[in-house]
Amino acid sequence: ALYGLKQAPRAWYSRIESYFQREGFIKCPSEHTLFVKTDDRDSLLIVSLYVDDLIFTGNNEVMFSKFKDSMKNEFDMSDLGKMSHFLGVEVVQNAKGIFITQAKYARDILERFDMLNCNSLQCPIVLGQILCLQFVS
């Protein structure tokens, strides 16, 4: 019901911020879209808000489940599972770790400028070129 209104972003942020406060989250003082919740067993839940998308991480699966259930009860939302893309960044999560890349972005740029089949270089700089600083007065 909020989409399209001039005050919609402010109203949405105010609503979700009050939810986070009720649930015991603490807002990061330097990044107002980052919320952190801890418990007495050193469990940690970190939530980042971007417009109407949330990503979260932490060290306790039980906290994850409770958070998702609470969010589903409070808001009309869906769980998209493990993150694979966020803000143009590709994310691969497996047993070896979490890896991020912008390969698709780079491929799209090359395609846009018709350079998909160009000659690639390991080091995109002219070898043997000496760069020097010149002062202009």
Side-chain angles (χ1 to χ4, degrees):
L2 294 175
Y3 287 106
L5 302 175
K6 286 186 178 184
Q7 297 296 319
R10 185 174 294 133
W12 164 243
Y13 181 79
S14 177
R15 169 108 160 76
I16 199 154
E17 182 184 33
S18 66
Y19 163 80
F20 283 135
Q21 288 174 346
R22 266 195 329 271
E23 292 294 315
F25 284 85
I26 296 173
K27 182 169 66 170
C28 177
S30 58
E31 176 53 61
H32 298 291
T33 62
L34 187 71
F35 297 86
V36 178
K37 183 177 184 177
T38 57
D39 67 10
D40 55 352
R41 293 177 301 251
D42 293 329
S43 294
L44 178 70
L45 179 62
I46 302 169
V47 180
S48 179
L49 173 67
Y50 181 77
V51 186
D52 61 352
D53 290 330
L54 294 172
I55 59 173
F56 64 92
T57 188
N59 61 0
N60 187 319
E61 292 286 335
V62 174
M63 279 182 97
F64 292 168
S65 295
K66 287 181 180 177
F67 173 67
K68 287 194 284 188
D69 292 342
S70 173
M71 287 291 293
K72 286 178 183 176
N73 288 334
E74 185 76 19
F75 302 100
D76 182 24
M77 65 163 279
S78 56
D79 181 5
L80 300 177
K82 287 189 174 183
M83 182 170 57
S84 60
H85 289 83
F86 191 71
L87 300 177
V89 176
E90 298 166 66
V91 181
V92 176
Q93 300 180 57
N94 58 36
K96 294 180 181 179
I98 300 172
F99 304 91
I100 61 173
T101 180
Q102 287 189 298
K104 183 183 179 318
Y105 174 74
R107 202 171 28 259
D108 289 347
I109 294 291
L110 290 172
E111 190 174 292
R112 179 178 169 195
F113 292 100
D114 198 27
M115 295 181 67
L116 212 51
N117 296 319
C118 69
N119 296 332
S120 63
L121 296 172
Q122 284 287 61
C123 183
I125 191 167
V126 179
L127 295 176
Q129 181 71 35
I130 299 174
L131 301 175
C132 62
L133 183 63
Q134 291 183 346
F135 293 99
V136 179
S137 54

